[in-house]
């Protein structure tokens, strides 16, 4: 059956794509929590969102103008993750390494 092995044969595409997606939505969640909670909040979900995305904040803060408030760094980081995800897809698609729709 064609298309039956679409997951395993394209694992090199699906895993990074999924990681980009998880990182993007975790940054959005971090931003939403930061709107309502202080940075040292005991909320365990917010702490994990911060722990999973703290590594990305210094590079984003470095390339972002200092006039942007620290609260807005998470959506800016989410934008760059989305750009990286699209660039990843375009690069693999141009190389013919993405799954194709069945015709």
């Amino acid at each position: 059956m064609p298309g039956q092995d679409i997951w395993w044969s394209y694992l090199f595409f699906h895993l990074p794509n999924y990681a980009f997606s998880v990182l993007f939505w975790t940054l959005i969640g971090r931003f939403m929590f930061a709107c309502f909670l202080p940075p040292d909040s005991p909320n365990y979900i917010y702490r994990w969102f911060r722990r999973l995305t703290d590594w990305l904040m210094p590079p984003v803060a470095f390339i972002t103008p200092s006039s942007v408030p620290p609260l807005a760094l998470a959506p800016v980081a989410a934008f760059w993750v989305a750009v990286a995800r699209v660039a990843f897809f375009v690069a693999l698609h141009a190389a013919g390494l993405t799954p194709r729709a069945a015709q």
Side-chain angles (χ1 to χ4, degrees):
M1 180 182 240
Q4 186 175 5
D5 196 25
I6 199 162
W7 173 255
W8 295 110
S9 61
Y10 291 101
L11 197 60
F12 59 88
F13 169 75
H14 292 301
L15 286 180
N17 192 35
Y18 182 74
F20 279 130
S21 179
V22 167
L23 184 58
F24 176 84
W25 288 110
T26 304
L27 286 163
I28 296 298
R30 176 185 174 138
F31 171 68
M32 297 302 290
F33 273 114
C35 289
F36 302 105
L37 297 173
D40 58 346
S41 172
N43 184 295
Y44 64 93
I45 297 172
Y46 182 44
R47 284 189 320 209
W48 272 100
F49 280 9
R50 289 180 56 93
R51 188 173 293 168
L52 290 172
T53 58
D54 273 345
W55 64 272
L56 188 58
M57 292 299 125
V60 171
F62 181 74
I63 63 171
T64 305
S66 59
S67 61
V68 174
L71 179 65
L73 281 180
V76 170
F79 167 77
W80 286 115
V81 168
V83 168
R85 186 177 181 194
V86 169
F88 173 74
F89 174 79
V90 168
L92 264 63
H93 185 72
L97 298 174
T98 57
R100 305 281 186 205
Q103 295 186 15

